[in-house]
Amino acid sequence: WPRLCIVTRGAQDCCGQAAAPSPAQAAVVGLARAVEAEVPELDCVCVDLDPDATAGAASGEAEAMAVVSEALAQRNGSGFEREQLVCVRAGRRFVGRVDRLAQGPAAVAQPPPPFTLPAGTYVVTGGAGGLGLAFCGWLARSGAGRVVAVGRREDPGAAAATAMAEISRDVGCEVSYASADVSDAAQLRCALLGAAAGTKGALRGVLHCAGVLDDAAIAKQDRARLRRVFEPKVAGSWNLHEFFSGKDADGRAAAATAATTADVFVLFSSVSALLGAFGQANYAAANAFMDGLARLRAHRGLAALSVRWGVWGDVGMAAGPLARALERGGHVSLRPETGVRSLEYLLRRAGRTCADPAVFDVRWETILARLARPQALLSRMAAVAWGEAAASAQARVREPAGAAAR
């Protein structure tokens, strides 16, 4: 039975390709991951073709054969040979794998020195929300001279205003609020230029935390749901990219000024773009766009980091009942302090790791058991989970004998 093949071109940045990766194509990969999670009987695979390929009959025939081979791939006993993410570059086939970058900041033998940002002004979109406020505080404690929280509302609300005042008082860093819709380029540019005009140093960077949820099964995803989720994620991140890419308001190359360059450019993406999530096709696609945007910026030598966060427990859009439901499915909630340590770790490694890492905590045995079939994408994590389970079982077998000996 042929499987569903979703074909993109240049969604990934693979093997030194000359062409810049495409965020729009990357969004389709996010959709494909949602299809696999929600309609597993389609056995979806995403095949990313070479953006450097030359036009011609021979090249087209080779690409067609690459797609057909994935559609007709057979299974063996393990099921792992049928891939979920495939890249074709210069006639060679590459496959995607989820693997551990590290055990995490807690596993570092020697604690690193205190993290310090370049002095200046930083912007946090979605900054009046619980997650945004947590990272406003981190920026203030890490050396920012001024932090500007940007939100759609005219004012941040009493609770957020109090939290900002407390950060300013306790840390001695000015934390202010600016009203702007990040999906409106003119509004956002006005807010960013206002932040840059302060007296607390040049505009150094942005954390893009803004986002909304509008979950529904794929069959019920309509234009309105897509637009609602895409506006802050897709339009918002693209507007930030254009501002922080050395171009003026008309898209012309501008001098490298504080208003058009960034030392820190962090997009808050979601692990749903990597693992897929039932009912979140729009959200997975929007976050995958941001992952692709980070790859595009990195390809061009610009500051870029898109972090595919797991479930936030105490703050964020998924906090509360949704977080508890995800926890039952195998996800373990992240605390803000864990996110802060992880972001510091990734920023220290800037340029030495991928532009779109994932930070999440899951019970792999639960996640894997809920899959309709084994996924090659997760085969390395499955091996780790099985190894840990075997070690745990062996330890349980040995424990009674050891207790009796004592």
Side-chain angles (χ1 to χ4, degrees), residues 3-53:
R3 61 201 304 221
L4 173 64
C5 289
I6 296 179
V7 181
T8 58
R9 187 180 296 278
Q12 309 294 337
D13 194 3
C14 183
C15 299
Q17 66 191 48
S22 166
Q25 295 287 293
V28 179
V29 178
L31 175 63
R33 297 304 297 143
V35 170
E36 173 64 23
E38 194 166 325
V39 197
E41 57 268 27
L42 295 177
D43 199 7
C44 180
V45 58
C46 189
V47 182
D48 190 46
L49 299 179
D50 191 348
D52 295 337

Side-chain angles (χ1 to χ4, degrees), residues 15 81 92 141 159 197 278 285 325 342 357 384:
C15 299
E81 81 293 347
R92 299 177 63 194
R141 293 188 299 272
F278 189 94
S342 298
V384 171

